[in-house]
């Protein structure tokens, strides 16, 4: 009897049943090879659709996949995993033992990404947003390339483990085939000839050797680490989180809401982001954001008939404005009934005050000087143009919240002027908003041309909709003359249409000085010299 196999010695006939018992476990392994996953992040069909659609719309993703795929097999699976980790609400990693050995390097890299300190911050910006998740993948492209390059020793071990696993599966199949041949050669009593039985025994021994090698190689493969993967992953996630945060702030600064972004096609959103990141628009984003926040705060503070300057005493029942002598009556039991009666009749003596009132009802028109001198920078490197455009865009917000038309007039010399209309009854087109912000004409400065254009717009509004009391805001750094005839016509139009004119001298005190032309034109005038200060224009947003 062979002690190793539990059957008779080699060369002797064996019962088929004994051989089947010997090969039983290998038959099961041959029939049911466990599934090995190629994706480290568990995903459903809808997640895969989101990745496929995004991949098809993003040439940069396809280029990155092609570049990595030239040197690293299965790089496309890694990009899928990195995308899903950023996109899914609760990304879950598969167990390493359930992964195809050839994808274990991907599993190690994705694990390091998920465990990075900045991943939670990144995930807040990318969850559920295919575009943001794709941008996170691209931002990590350089680090992914470096981690894959450093993973060759680990990948060699993984491939060796994969090969050993395939050998073990082939050995299990060989056991099944040997047993089948033995069964075909068995006699009526179920005895298998010695040579066939020996073939089954040798197949089982080979399978056991292959299984031991596969288990040993798999253990080494699971234990190996990719050098520097954690540090590289941490840096990649931090960079990606910063990029996502910067782009989100950029969109918010320009008034692009998350809902609008989600509805925007991938290509259009990518082009918008590229445009906002380029040139002057990117430099202005922080200033524009602060202007918008300031204007929103002023809108929240603005209340009709708000308490302001004390102008006397009146009668009423507003207990918040009762004068002290009336409150003293509450301290005397015999006068409390008198106080109650006067309160019921609305005859308590109250402080009377007059606050700032928003009186505009017509269009808000921002006239922005774009002469050459507006390129001049002030504190913090902010240019005069940047401050003026940021203020004008905040006025656009102000007009839309008040249900008023907005018009942006970009001007310089008498022959240079562009008009951008934003009707209150239509959504503010973002492309047109950016065109308004980017337009710079250069040259000298003329007051008459932009103000005449603004007056004509208010005249047309009055004729079409009978609206008066518009507001014109003149943002300039230069002083220039106007003719007497023009000034007479201007004053006539101003009285007839009831509009107000606000002036801001940007970085040029003489423009806003008493006796200047701008002072003669404006009802409200101030000078701004610190371009980092958005609150210098705060009162504009309380009264417009």
């Amino acid at each position: 009897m062979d002690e190793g196999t539990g059957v008779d010695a080699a060369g002797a006939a064996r019962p088929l049943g004994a051989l089947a018992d010997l090969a039983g476990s290998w038959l099961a392994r041959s029939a049911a090879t466990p599934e090995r996953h190629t994706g480290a992040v568990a995903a459903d069909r809808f997640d895969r659709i989101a990745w496929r659609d995004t991949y098809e719309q993003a040439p940069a993703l396809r280029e990155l996949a092609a570049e990595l795929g030239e040197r690293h097999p299965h790089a496309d699976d890694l990009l899928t995993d990195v995308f899903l980790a950023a996109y899914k609400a609760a990304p879950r990693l598969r167990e390493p033992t359930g992964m195809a050995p050839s994808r274990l390097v991907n599993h190690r890299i994705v694990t390091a990404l998920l465990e990075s300190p900045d991943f939670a911050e990144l995930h807040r910006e990318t969850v559920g947003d295919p575009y943001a998740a794709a941008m996170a993948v691209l931002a990590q492209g350089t680090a992914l390339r470096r981690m894959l390059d450093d993973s060759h020793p680990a990948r060699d071990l993984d491939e060796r483990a994969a090969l050993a696993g395939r050998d073990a599966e082939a050995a299990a199949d060989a056991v099944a085939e040997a047993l089948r041949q033995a069964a075909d050669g068995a006699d009526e009593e179920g005895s298998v000839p010695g040579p066939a039985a020996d073939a089954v025994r040798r197949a089982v021994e080979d399978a056991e050797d292959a299984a031991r090698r596969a288990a040993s190689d798999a253990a080494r493969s699971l234990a190996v680490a990719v050098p520097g993967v954690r540090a590289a992953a941490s840096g990649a996630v931090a960079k990606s989180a910063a990029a996502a945060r910067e782009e989100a702030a950029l969109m918010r600064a320009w008034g692009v809401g998350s809902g609008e972004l989600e509805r925007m096609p991938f290509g259009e959103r990518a082009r918008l982001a590229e445009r906002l990141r380029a040139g002057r628009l990117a430099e202005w984003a922080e200033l524009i954001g602060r202007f918008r926040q300031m204007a929103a705060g002023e809108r929240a503070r603005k209340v009709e008939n708000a308490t302001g300057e004390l102008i006397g005493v009146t009668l009423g029942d507003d207990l918040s404005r009762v004068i002290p002598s009336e409150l003293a009556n509450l301290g005397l039991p015999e006068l409390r009934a008198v106080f109650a009666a006067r309160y019921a009749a609305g005859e308590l003596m109250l402080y009377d005050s007059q606050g700032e009132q928003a009186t505009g009802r017509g269009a808000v028109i921002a006239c922005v000087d774009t002469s050459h001198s507006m390129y001049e920078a002030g504190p913090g490197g902010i240019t005069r143009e940047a401050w003026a455009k940021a203020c004008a865009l905040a006025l656009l917000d102000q007009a839309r919240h008040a249900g008023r038309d907005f018009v942006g007039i970009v001007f310089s010399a008498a022959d240079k002027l562009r008009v951008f209309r934003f009707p209150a009854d239509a959504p503010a087109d973002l492309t047109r908003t950016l065109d308004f912000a980017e337009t710079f004409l250069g040259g000298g400065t003329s007051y008459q041309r932009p103000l005449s254009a603004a007056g004509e717009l208010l005249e047309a509004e009055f004729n079409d909709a009978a609206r008066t009391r518009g507001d014109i805001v003149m943002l300039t750094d230069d002083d220039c003359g106007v003719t007497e005839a023009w000034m007479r016509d201007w004053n006539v139009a101003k009285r007839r249409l009831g509009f107000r004119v606000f002036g801001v001298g940007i970085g040029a005190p003489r423009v806003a000085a008493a006796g200047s032309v701008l002072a003669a034109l404006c009802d409200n005038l101030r000078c701004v010299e610190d371009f980092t200060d958005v609150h210098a224009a705060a009162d504009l947003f309380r009264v417009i």
Side-chain angles (χ1 to χ4, degrees):
M1 181 76 69
D2 188 330
E3 295 180 358
T5 63
V7 297
D8 294 336
R14 293 158 174 85
L16 181 60
L19 291 176
D21 290 342
L22 175 66
S25 62
W26 302 104
L27 294 176
R29 180 176 299 190
S30 175
T33 301
E35 180 185 5
R36 295 291 181 173
H37 297 287
T38 57
V41 179
D44 58 28
R45 180 167 60 92
F46 298 103
D47 297 329
R48 298 286 179 182
I49 291 174
W51 162 248
R52 186 178 66 249
D53 290 347
T54 304
Y55 186 82
E56 291 174 354
Q57 296 178 62
L61 279 180
R62 298 195 296 273
E63 291 171 6
L64 178 60
E67 178 192 348
L68 296 180
E70 290 178 357
R71 299 180 57 187
H72 306 286
H74 319 306
D76 52 345
D77 288 331
L78 175 60
L79 296 185
T80 304
D81 283 331
V82 176
F83 172 87
L84 293 174
Y87 174 73
K88 288 177 63 65
R92 179 179 63 83
L93 282 177
R94 301 185 189 279
E95 291 296 324
T97 53
M99 294 290 297
S102 59
R103 308 304 200 280
L104 283 174
V105 163
N106 293 356
H107 190 283
R108 295 183 188 97
I109 291 174
V110 177
T111 299
L113 293 173
L114 287 172
E115 292 176 352
S116 298
D118 295 298
F119 181 79
E121 181 182 355
L122 170 64
H123 195 239
R124 281 194 296 270
E125 300 290 349
T126 60
V127 61
D129 187 339
Y131 170 87
M135 292 303 104
V137 175
L138 293 173
Q140 297 173 68
T142 300
L144 292 175
R145 187 182 305 108
R146 184 168 64 254
M147 286 187 281
L148 287 172
D149 287 342
D150 293 342
S151 71
H152 279 299
R155 190 177 298 282
D156 290 343
L157 282 176
D158 294 342
E159 293 295 346
R160 179 176 173 179
L163 180 60
R166 289 193 292 271
D167 288 344
E169 292 169 6
D173 292 341
V175 171
E177 177 61 21
L179 185 62
R180 185 189 64 77
Q181 292 180 5
D184 290 344
D187 59 20
E188 295 179 356
E189 297 178 355
S191 294
V192 177
D198 289 343
V200 172
R201 180 178 57 80
R202 287 193 299 272
V204 169
E205 291 172 349
D206 291 344
E208 288 174 346
D209 289 341
R212 282 192 295 270
R213 288 194 301 272
S216 175
D217 289 346
R220 285 195 295 272
S221 176
L222 290 172
V224 73
V226 177
V229 67
R230 291 191 179 277
S234 180
V237 172
K239 177 183 177 182
S240 184
R245 186 171 57 248
E246 178 183 345
E247 182 162 315
L250 199 60
M251 294 296 180
R252 286 193 295 269
W254 285 95
V256 186
S258 57
E260 184 178 357
L261 287 175
E262 290 174 3
R263 294 188 298 271
M264 196 176 292
F266 186 97
E268 181 181 343
R269 184 169 171 183
R271 289 190 294 273
L272 171 61
E274 183 62 30
R275 184 176 183 183
L276 294 182
R277 282 193 295 264
R280 293 179 297 158
L281 296 183
E283 297 172 6
W284 299 350
E286 193 271 338
L287 180 65
I288 291 170
R290 287 196 289 123
F291 253 106
R292 289 182 183 275
Q293 291 175 1
M294 179 274 292
E298 294 303 321
R299 283 195 298 273
R301 291 174 53 192
K302 182 164 58 177
V303 179
E304 287 295 324
N305 301 317
T307 301
E309 179 185 2
L310 180 64
I311 61 173
V313 176
T314 187
L315 299 179
D317 59 1
D318 186 351
L319 296 178
S320 67
R321 295 189 288 134
V322 174
I323 67 175
S325 61
E326 287 279 23
L327 291 174
N329 292 336
L330 288 175
L332 301 173
E334 60 272 19
L335 294 179
R336 288 175 185 168
V338 175
F339 181 93
R342 295 179 65 180
Y343 173 68
E347 295 179 351
L348 294 174
M349 287 188 291
L350 314 174
Y351 285 122
D352 193 12
S353 61
Q354 179 176 312
E356 293 175 318
Q357 301 283 321
T359 60
R361 291 294 180 270
V364 177
I365 302 177
C367 299
V368 182
D369 185 354
T370 60
S371 58
H372 283 310
S373 57
M374 290 290 284
Y375 265 136
E376 186 174 331
I382 299 171
T383 64
R384 297 175 177 183
E385 180 201 11
W387 197 97
K389 294 283 182 64
C391 183
L393 290 171
L395 287 169
L396 168 59
D397 281 353
Q398 192 81 353
R400 300 203 70 77
H401 278 86
R404 302 169 66 183
D405 291 350
F406 176 84
V407 181
I409 296 178
V410 179
F411 72 94
S412 58
D415 61 340
K416 294 184 177 181
L417 181 136
R418 286 193 63 186
V419 177
F420 298 86
R421 297 170 182 260
F422 299 88
D425 58 359
D429 182 71
L430 181 59
T431 299
R432 190 158 183 77
T433 302
L434 296 178
D435 289 343
F436 168 52
E438 287 183 310
T439 298
F440 191 92
L441 302 177
T445 304
S446 168
Y447 282 179
Q448 289 187 192
R449 179 78 189 283
L451 290 175
S452 294
E456 291 168 3
L457 288 166
L458 294 176
E459 181 82 41
E461 182 180 41
F462 173 74
N463 294 334
D464 294 341
R467 281 200 298 268
T468 58
R469 296 191 297 169
D471 290 312
I472 300 173
V473 181
M474 190 76 167
L475 299 147
T476 181
D477 70 339
D478 200 2
D479 196 25
C480 64
V482 297
T483 66
E484 291 185 10
W486 182 90
M487 193 69 175
R488 283 195 299 271
D489 293 341
W490 174 256
N491 287 330
V492 170
K494 192 167 182 283
R495 283 192 298 271
R496 184 176 72 257
L497 300 174
F499 59 79
R500 300 175 297 181
V501 182
F502 299 84
V504 184
I506 304 175
R510 61 181 177 78
V511 173
S516 67
V517 175
L518 194 59
L521 290 169
C522 296
D523 304 293
N524 181 302
L525 180 62
R526 84 288 316 285
C527 179
V528 175
E529 296 186 75
D530 182 0
F531 301 157
T532 64
D533 182 14
V534 300
H535 294 282
D539 62 312
L540 284 178
F541 298 92
R542 288 197 296 272
V543 297
I544 291 180

